[in-house]
Amino acid sequence: MKITDTSDLWWKNAVVYCLDVETYLDWNGDGVGDFVGLANRIDYLAELGVTCLWLMPFYPTPDRDDGYDILDFYGVDPRLGHFGDLVEVIRIARDRGIRVIADLVINHTSDRHPWFRAARSSRDSPYRDYYVWRDEPLDDGEPVFPDQESSNWELDEKTGQYYQHVFYKHQPDLNITNPLVRDEIAKIMGFWLQLGLSGFRVDAVPFLLDESGVVGGSELLPDPHAYLRSLRSFLGRRSGDGVLLGEVNLERAEQEQFFGGAEGDELTMQFDFISMQNLYLSLARQDAGPLVEALLSRPVGSPDSQWANFVRNHDELTLDKLSDAEREEVFAAFGPEERMQVYGRGLVRRLPPMLDGDPRRIRLVYSLLFSMPGTPVLFYGEEIGMGENLDAEGRMAVRTPMQWTSGPNGGFSTARPSRLRNALVSGGYGPEHVNVETQRRDPDSLYSFIRMLVQHYRNAPELGWGEFTVLEGTPSSVLAHTLSWDGRTVLLVHNFSATPVDVPLALDRELAGCRVNRLLGAEAGRQPFADPLSLDDAGRTTVPLEGYGFEWLRVIAPGDELQY
Ligand code: NOJ
């Protein structure tokens, strides 16, 4: 095995876990999660098998966009602790083999950031050009948050010009055509790398690079992708293991560009928004087709680049890349009520309630998350099957406190419930029914299942590194694929339908004479086959699947003793 590659390009088979310190564990009982609480849960993350922790924004903030509105890029919000606490978290995580990355939010600042306060004090301020100003607003499309904003431009009364804000009006956009802003961004990145971060989840990358709002923008910065390349090379100079994991919810051709094509010199990783959306369409239709098509449409880039797979993140579950009719199908299946939908394009629910708590389907989805080509990203609480709080405002529905125990506040905090900023989930998905303490002791729990998937994912580097092939000739409800790397192959088979099915599998002819055995074992309620299946002269076999069933199988060459 190419040991050197797998450790240097660690992101190719990482297990990423995203959390917000504020909602993870409150150690000092003030109702707000903190870094000391997180430090005390690093061993929990290590036990789960996490290898990369993604911290959502923890910087000083007025908190009008859950921390994505930053007041000071060089600080820690005092509600969460101080620098010493953060450094302990990074150190303890490292010690347990977990790298830490954090959100890099450089498309905009809070309107209370000192740069913007200075910028709006006068047209002559040295900070004026840190932001994007126009005498007249552009008519440049639908705002990202149409429930609160009607334009991407806001008049600044005092100076009589409009500033650009593609998100909320309290988040003025930074102007990256200004070399001073680019210097500031480099300094911010350098600062956090020096403190021990292993890179960043880069917020809103396409918006960051879009300088069409800047007067003369295309002359000032003719090639915004060259700027992204320069950020990547700066990162590489400062940190040998740093990654840029970018949020790029665009069509495939544009995503290819954000990787830097075959050169792979822009983003290291990108979230696969398109496969995520089509996964839900496949689930709604009980038909693997949409997901298969989405996976096959991934551009082939540099072998060092990587897709990040996810089922849920902290935002709305966006369905914006589906057609209107497809989106309606997903809404009808998984979020028929208006309060479950947001911005006309997404859902505010978590997976288990959308699947009516059906353990077969929930496990099918997580089996896919860990066996589709790429790197899996978990959003905190997914490992125990947390639900959402539909009484919370919009996207806050899925940002409820982590459920550690069945006790008061789900073990998140000892504060009075009225002091918690985000209320806990109640009802069937509340902490009495869904919590870490109970599930850790139960070998049949979702937690134990996901932990087992993590172990197998880490033991089978083909899943992160392998060449992807979809097997043809299977029933439409089934996704059967192989991932091959370094001379070895794993075979993954998933049935989206409730109906059991015998799946004919036609592997590469070159594999004729090999045997096939189960990778997932007793932990998934099954045993290795007493007699491994044999591939016939044409490389074929048949695998039976239950309704919503799945198998992870390893192809064993004659004489290959290693069967896992
Ligand atoms: C994308 C983040 O994921 C989202 O939560 C935030 O509101 C916007 N960027 C603005 O920063």
Side-chain angles (χ1 to χ4, degrees), residues 65 68 108 145 167 201 203 247 314-315 395 399:
D65 182 15
Y68 282 91
H108 50 264
F145 298 124
F167 296 104
R201 178 266 185 189
D203 190 59
E247 183 196 27
H314 61 289
D315 284 325
R395 296 175 293 162
R399 301 176 184 181

Side-chain angles (χ1 to χ4, degrees), residues 108-125:
H108 50 264
T109 67
S110 158
D111 62 353
R112 300 194 208 161
H113 192 289
W115 295 341
F116 192 65
R117 285 179 189 267
R120 75 192 316 182
S121 67
S122 141
R123 287 197 189 197
D124 301 326
S125 160

